[in-house]
């Protein structure tokens, strides 16, 4: 087993980190519930054509990064590289489109074959939201506000947001022509990926990280100058709604999301604490995806955030609340150890977080572990206490201790969460 390791690009999420993941998930769950968003859970693998049609065969995700395999029935299956296409498939297959506006959210693992880097893995996790069935610009502002409030609620204060409109299909056709006309004379100066994209997906060149290519695109035509009056009006209303909510942003005409299904609004929320990999959350509107997958034309908007990057950022900023342990229970001796298990379980049933020492080692070693546990109190149970039906309570911060009947402790468990009481509670 020493030579068997986790596959490249995957990481074990150990107990010390899981508490942060759970905190993020519970914070998101509460926020989404308050906004009437309901959770949806879709399979982690789907038919390959779902992603080819939904994401776009010209994208890097489909062309280079998908985990695709043939199952035993020779059907092409793919581990989901993102969450939106699966949600839309479920929306259509289960008749949710006939039930009116859908506010949905999801969380779970995604898979892309790319070089692992800081905060990015081949198996990674996302939280995302989708609103299907609204063409109102307020829907765009609402989902952006949810992302903003979630990140702020987790304690992030160094956020900035880039905002753009990629227009509708006609807008992009006009802009694509203008962009290709501008970039073609620079073909030999572009990086190899951008040279390839010039014919397949020229808008993605705007998102290149190559410094020389970035310099070239600085003077490229702006997509905002190629929007129709209707698209411009829609984008103006999105911006006004964000201003009404007090959410600041900067216009970035070079912001294009990496998936073909985006229309109109596109946005990214970034943090400087992650270095060059600054994006924490991104999304936008995708009014054509439902129709592309066989449904009727349905407006939709959503976003996703990467859990690995977010957790890394929260741990760097040390904003993660630590798991609560109310008391640490030590015991020594056959009868005491038997009673300790019953006492721990009884207190847990009363809502007290109890860590039971199972080592059987000397009291001194158990007391050292109690001091490191972060608990408020230490419960000490030896054979003498076991015979008398009592337990010694030690408040770890002050060192104060007293012996109480176990029944008294079960009747008044709240004393285990606070400093020593000034008087003994009545039995």
């Amino acid at each position: 087993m020493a030579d068997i390791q986790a596959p490249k690009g995957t990481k074990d999420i150990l107990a010390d980190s899981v508490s942060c993941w759970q905190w993020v998930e519970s914070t998101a769950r509460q926020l989404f519930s308050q906004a009437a968003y309901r959770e949806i859970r879709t399979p982690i693998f789907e038919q390959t054509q779902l992603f080819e049609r939904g994401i776009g065969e010209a994208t890097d995700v489909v062309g280079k990064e998908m985990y695709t395999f043939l199952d035993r029935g020779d059907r092409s299956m793919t581990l989901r590289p993102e969450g939106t296409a699966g949600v839309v498939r479920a929306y259509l297959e289960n008749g949710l489109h006939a039930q009116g506006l859908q506010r949905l959210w999801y969380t779970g693992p995604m898979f892309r074959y790319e070089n692992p880097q800081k905060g990015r893995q081949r198996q990674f996790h996302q939280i995302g939201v989708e609103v299907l069935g609204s063409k109102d610009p307020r829907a765009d502002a609402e989902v952006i506000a949810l992302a903003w409030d979630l990140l702020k609620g987790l304690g992030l204060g160094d956020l900035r947001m880039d905002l753009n409109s990629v227009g509708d299909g006609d807008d992009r056709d006009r802009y694509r022509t203008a962009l290709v006309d501008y970039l073609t004379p620079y073909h030999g100066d572009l990086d190899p990926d951008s040279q390839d994209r010039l014919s397949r997906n020229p808008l993605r060149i705007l998102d290149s990280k190559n410094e020389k290519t970035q310099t070239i695109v600085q003077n490229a035509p702006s997509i905002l100058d190629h929007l129709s009056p209707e698209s411009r009006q829609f984008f103006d209303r999105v911006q006004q709604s964000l201003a009404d909510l007090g959410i600041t942003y900067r216009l970035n005409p070079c912001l294009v999301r990496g998936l073909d299904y985006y229309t109109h609004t596109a946005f990214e929320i970034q943090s400087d604490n992650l270095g060059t990999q600054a994006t924490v959350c991104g999304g936008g509107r995708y009014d054509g995806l439902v129709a592309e997958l066989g449904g009727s034309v349905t407006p939709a908007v959503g976003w996703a955030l990467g859990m690995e990057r977010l957790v890394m950022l929260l741990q760097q900023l040390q904003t993660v609340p630590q798991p609560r342990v109310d008391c640490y229970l030590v015991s020594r001796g056959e009868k005491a150890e038997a009673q300790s298990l019953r006492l721990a379980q009884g207190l847990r049933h009363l809502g007290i977080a109890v860590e039971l020492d199972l080592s059987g080692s000397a009291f001194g070693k158990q007391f050292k572990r109690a001091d490191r546990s972060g608990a408020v109190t230490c419960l000490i149970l030896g054979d003498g206490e076991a015979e008398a039906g009592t337990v010694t309570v030690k408040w770890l911060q002050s060192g104060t201790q007293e012996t109480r009947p176990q029944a008294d402790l079960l009747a008044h468990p709240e004393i285990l969460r606070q400093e020593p009481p000034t008087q003994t509670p009545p039995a």
Side-chain angles (χ1 to χ4, degrees):
M1 286 295 294
D3 295 332
I4 300 178
Q5 300 179 343
K8 182 180 179 180
T10 67
K11 292 184 69 174
D12 300 306
I13 305 170
L14 303 180
D16 287 345
S17 295
V18 165
S19 59
C20 183
W21 287 67
Q22 293 173 333
W23 177 52
V24 171
E25 291 162 354
S26 64
T27 302
R29 182 172 284 105
Q30 181 178 5
L31 177 66
F32 298 156
S33 177
Q34 291 171 342
Y37 284 67
R38 299 182 299 166
E39 185 178 5
I40 184 171
R41 303 186 183 190
T42 62
I44 65 170
F45 66 95
E46 300 266 8
Q47 295 181 51
T48 301
Q49 63 175 333
L50 170 66
F51 303 113
E52 291 176 341
R53 291 173 56 185
I55 298 174
E57 294 189 59
T59 62
D60 287 349
V61 173
V62 172
K64 302 178 181 179
E65 299 172 358
M66 294 203 310
Y67 277 94
T68 298
F69 60 95
L70 294 177
D71 67 9
R72 294 189 178 186
D74 285 332
R75 294 172 289 253
S76 181
M77 298 291 173
T78 296
L79 298 179
R80 62 185 182 192
E82 56 91 51
T84 301
V87 170
V88 171
R89 192 267 313 148
Y91 171 81
L92 292 171
E93 183 175 341
N94 295 282
L96 300 183
H97 58 286
Q99 300 176 23
L101 178 71
Q102 296 291 309
R103 287 182 167 95
L104 304 171
W105 73 276
Y106 60 85
T107 185
M110 312 291 166
F111 305 84
R112 294 187 190 178
Y113 190 91
E114 55 185 342
N115 289 327
Q117 51 189 289
K118 186 177 181 181
R120 176 174 287 179
Q121 300 295 324
R122 290 177 176 174
Q123 176 179 313
F124 59 100
H125 299 75
Q126 289 185 339
I127 291 179
V129 302
E130 315 289 355
V131 175
L132 297 113
S134 175
K135 61 181 180 180
D136 194 316
R138 291 177 300 171
D140 304 48
E142 179 179 281
V143 300
I144 292 173
L146 277 178
W148 195 258
D149 289 347
L150 174 59
L151 296 173
K152 290 287 189 180
L154 293 169
L156 303 185
D158 63 333
L159 302 175
R160 67 180 187 275
M161 183 169 68
D162 283 0
L163 186 70
N164 192 26
S165 172
V166 295
D168 61 18
D170 291 338
D171 299 332
R172 284 197 305 282
D173 286 344
R174 288 192 299 273
Y175 178 62
R176 186 180 292 109
T177 299
L179 183 61
V180 170
D181 289 344
Y182 169 80
L183 290 174
T184 297
Y186 296 99
H187 182 275
D189 297 318
L190 298 173
D191 63 275
D193 281 344
S194 295
Q195 291 177 0
D196 179 57
R197 288 169 175 163
L198 189 58
S199 59
R200 295 188 306 110
N201 196 353
L203 269 67
R204 290 290 288 138
I205 298 175
L206 299 174
D207 197 35
S208 171
K209 301 301 185 289
N210 180 274
E211 290 186 5
K212 190 173 183 180
T213 299
Q214 285 181 339
T215 301
I216 294 172
V217 301
Q218 282 179 357
N219 296 316
S222 170
I223 193 170
L224 297 178
D225 295 331
H226 292 75
L227 299 179
S228 68
E230 294 78 14
S231 295
R232 167 57 68 179
Q233 183 181 36
F234 185 93
F235 191 44
D236 288 343
R237 291 181 61 191
V238 172
Q239 294 179 76
Q240 184 59 56
S241 294
L242 292 175
D244 292 343
L245 295 173
I247 297 176
T248 59
Y249 60 89
R250 66 176 183 179
L251 291 178
N252 180 1
C254 289
L255 173 61
V256 291
R257 302 293 296 162
L259 310 179
D260 279 359
Y261 54 60
Y262 282 107
T263 60
H264 295 292
T265 309
F267 77 95
E268 288 183 351
I269 300 176
Q270 303 162 343
S271 169
D272 291 332
N273 291 87
L274 286 173
T276 57
Q277 298 298 320
T279 301
V280 182
C281 175
R285 182 164 281 277
Y286 51 97
D287 290 349
L289 181 57
V290 176
E292 180 65 32
L293 296 179
S296 58
V297 175
T298 304
V301 61
W303 54 256
L305 63 79
M307 286 285 289
E308 280 80 2
R309 287 187 181 183
L310 179 57
V311 167
M312 180 187 301
L313 179 56
L314 294 172
Q315 290 174 334
Q316 287 177 0
L317 299 177
Q318 297 182 332
T319 62
V320 183
Q322 296 302 309
R324 176 181 61 86
V325 178
D326 295 319
C327 65
Y328 192 95
L329 202 165
V330 305
S331 58
R332 181 81 170 159
E334 184 176 346
K335 189 170 184 179
E337 290 174 356
Q339 282 192 15
S340 70
L341 183 61
R342 294 197 297 271
L343 180 59
Q345 194 73 348
L347 290 170
R348 290 165 181 162
H349 289 165
L350 296 171
I352 302 297
V354 181
E355 182 173 351
L356 174 61
D357 193 305
L358 298 172
S359 67
S361 56
F363 270 132
K365 292 184 177 179
Q366 295 190 55
F367 291 152
K368 289 181 180 179
R369 285 191 285 270
D371 289 334
R372 295 193 298 265
S373 70
V376 177
T377 52
C378 176
L379 300 184
I380 305 166
L381 191 56
D383 280 337
E385 287 88 355
E387 289 289 345
T390 61
V391 63
T392 297
V393 184
K394 180 180 180 181
W395 284 266
L396 291 171
Q397 184 172 356
S398 66
T400 303
Q401 65 182 54
E402 61 184 40
T403 300
R404 292 171 170 268
Q406 294 180 32
D408 180 33
L409 199 62
L410 292 168
H412 302 281
E414 66 277 0
I415 69 172
L416 298 174
R417 291 178 170 158
Q418 57 198 28
E419 286 304 299
T422 56
Q423 60 182 24
T424 302

